[in-house]
Amino acid sequence: MIEPFGVTGGRHYDIGQKGVDIWTDIVCGDASLSASAFGWYNASANLLTTVDFTREENEIIWNYYFRIISVANSVIQTAGGNEPGDLDPNTLRVNAQAKAYRAYAYFYLAQLFQTAYDPAEPILPFYNIDNINTAKVEASQIYDLIVSDLTFAIDNLDGYTRSSISEIDQTVARGLLAYTYAAMGNYADAKTQADAVIADGYPLATAGQLAFPGAGSGFDNVNAANWIWGFDITADLGHQLINWWGQMDYFTYSYAWAGDTKSIDDLLYSQIPANDIRATQFGTGAQALQPINKFFDQGRTPGGQFAITTDYIFMRVEEFYLLSAEAAAKTGNEAAAKARLQDLLSIRLGGAAAATSYLAPLSGSALVDEIYFQTRVEMWGEGKSYFAMKRNQATVTRGTNHVFRAGESFTYDSDEMSFQIPETEIINNPNISSQNN
């Protein structure tokens, strides 16, 4: 999940899960490629990758997730199989974690390579050890496997205390299942799982943690109490230049400092209230509206961090307050939706009174739209806006600070908003063709 060059062996945007996060944030438009000196993200920002199956970005994403599925299947097979019997708790735990990884990979594949959720549409090859189908199977079969794997993981990781935040535990599995149900439109079960994540006790970030110069700010440390899943990037890993921080952080010696800048879309930014602390997360580095006060090396010297030790975030508790609110609003429980938003916005808007006043006039579709907006702002740069765009069947309109396609609008189900099964798969798999890709 964190390995530079893990698929290609040499491409500078081949950096595992966080590399996919950048691609999805750019494709949905919330992250603008605001300057391009080296060209790494030009095809994605220009929405060429998502309409051209020969582009290598599609191959990197496809191969990355299917490698995880392959490794997960190997582990599952050696730890009791798909339906393990009466095994010792440690073996069951290993099996459960591997199934959660398989589900995680299939969830991302389904979201990225299916235009919109349709259970009857054939979308992906199916590999679960006992059943191998190299042709595309219906989305319902993929989602059934994801739900089954994550349910098994939740049941069999109960009581397990992990040794590292990089491990999947019960809370991580619940979070993945919440996203899965939401993607399927099953908001009742999505809310149940999101609320279970919240009940596991991770505290919300403080106002200081949200933006520099606040205490604990930087989104760079796995020890932050609100982080659920992440990875401790240490000096012995040898990450230099080729790393998510290099692509996003002005204070790291790499692309975000040297000329391939990613900024918040200026149209999205313009909608953030002036009293919202998250407006201060963005400022001028090499370009305007870079996340210089959200994601930064603590040294805060432009281009200063060479040996990268800032950590990777995969999941934090705030996203489940938003997902719970979204699920509540979409099932008609507006009071519950507003209560979750109140918890978040009280911290971001400077107090409970300001949050109450802000939320008071919202109801119906306006409340749903507000939750989507809050998700885009809160989770900016963390790879979650793409999922929200598809769940909300949104039309995204780019602002003015994009090198490519500025001012253009795209519906969630347009060709430009989903990725393509890569040319290499079509060449090497006789059961998949380029038709209806």
Side-chain angles (χ1 to χ4, degrees), residues 62-80:
W62 183 269
N63 288 354
Y64 165 67
Y65 287 114
F66 273 110
R67 284 186 180 186
I68 288 177
I69 290 167
S70 177
V71 173
N73 278 334
S74 295
V75 174
I76 293 164
Q77 192 165 24
T78 59

Side-chain angles (χ1 to χ4, degrees), residues 66-123:
F66 273 110
R67 284 186 180 186
I68 288 177
I69 290 167
S70 177
V71 173
N73 278 334
S74 295
V75 174
I76 293 164
Q77 192 165 24
T78 59
N82 284 318
E83 298 182 9
D86 186 16
L87 302 177
D88 68 274
N90 188 59
T91 303
L92 280 174
R93 186 265 304 172
V94 171
N95 186 297
Q97 287 178 316
K99 284 182 177 175
Y101 274 110
R102 182 169 68 183
Y104 143 77
Y106 261 127
F107 172 74
Y108 271 85
L109 286 166
Q111 288 288 285
L112 297 173
F113 290 93
Q114 186 177 27
T115 301
Y117 178 68
D118 175 359
E121 181 186 12
I123 58 170

Side-chain angles (χ1 to χ4, degrees), residues 194-215:
D195 289 344
V197 170
I198 295 167
D200 282 342
Y202 288 86
L204 289 166
T206 65
Q209 288 174 306
L210 291 172
F212 180 82

Side-chain angles (χ1 to χ4, degrees), residues 1 15-23 244 312-314 381-383:
M1 291 182 70
I15 52 175
Q17 177 56 48
K18 298 304 290 182
V20 177
D21 290 347
I22 296 174
W23 276 318
W244 180 88
Y312 278 174
I313 186 169
F314 298 143
E382 299 178 54

Side-chain angles (χ1 to χ4, degrees), residues 179-403:
Y179 274 113
T180 301
Y181 281 137
M184 299 168 68
N186 179 353
Y187 286 104
D189 286 336
K191 185 176 188 304
T192 296
Q193 294 301 325
D195 289 344
V197 170
I198 295 167
D200 282 342
Y202 288 86
L204 289 166
T206 65
Q209 288 174 306
L210 291 172
F212 180 82
S217 60
F219 287 73
D220 68 329
N221 194 326
V222 293
N223 293 317
N226 63 316
W227 285 32
I228 294 172
W229 192 23
F231 201 97
D232 186 9
I233 303 295
T234 57
D236 62 329
L237 291 172
H239 284 208
Q240 299 173 0
L241 189 72
I242 315 306
N243 178 284
W244 180 88
W245 284 91
Q247 296 290 357
M248 297 295 288
D249 175 30
Y250 174 62
F251 302 105
T252 292
Y253 180 83
S254 191
Y255 293 101
W257 163 72
D260 276 0
T261 54
K262 294 87 183 171
S263 302
I264 186 172
D265 173 86
D266 59 3
L267 180 59
L268 174 61
Y269 181 79
S270 71
Q271 299 170 62
I272 302 175
N275 64 327
D276 191 328
I277 192 171
R278 293 169 300 184
T280 70
Q281 292 176 336
F282 305 94
T284 300
Q287 291 290 327
L289 296 181
Q290 286 184 261
I292 59 171
N293 296 325
K294 181 176 183 179
F295 305 118
F296 57 87
D297 171 58
Q298 294 295 324
R300 292 189 67 82
T301 300
Q305 178 180 220
F306 185 75
I308 294 174
T309 56
T310 39
D311 297 335
Y312 278 174
I313 186 169
F314 298 143
M315 185 182 287
R316 59 184 173 99
V317 73
E318 286 80 7
E319 58 201 89
F320 297 100
Y321 279 77
L322 289 160
L323 196 58
S324 175
E326 180 183 333
K330 288 179 177 177
T331 53
N333 191 346
E334 294 190 354
K338 286 187 174 183
R340 290 301 191 198
L341 286 179
Q342 177 81 19
D343 291 336
L344 278 179
L345 294 183
S346 293
I347 298 169
R348 284 143 185 81
L349 299 181
T356 300
S357 176
Y358 184 86
L359 292 170
L362 298 174
S363 63
S365 61
L367 178 58
V368 173
D369 290 345
E370 180 65 28
I371 296 166
Y372 175 47
F373 167 72
Q374 292 296 332
T375 301
R376 295 171 68 194
V377 173
E378 179 69 26
M379 303 310 300
W380 189 91
E382 299 178 54
K384 306 300 168 69
S385 292
Y386 183 86
F387 300 153
M389 173 195 68
K390 288 202 166 182
R391 288 196 309 270
N392 288 279
Q393 300 182 355
T395 296
V396 293
T397 301
R398 294 187 172 196
T400 65
N401 63 335
H402 295 253
V403 173

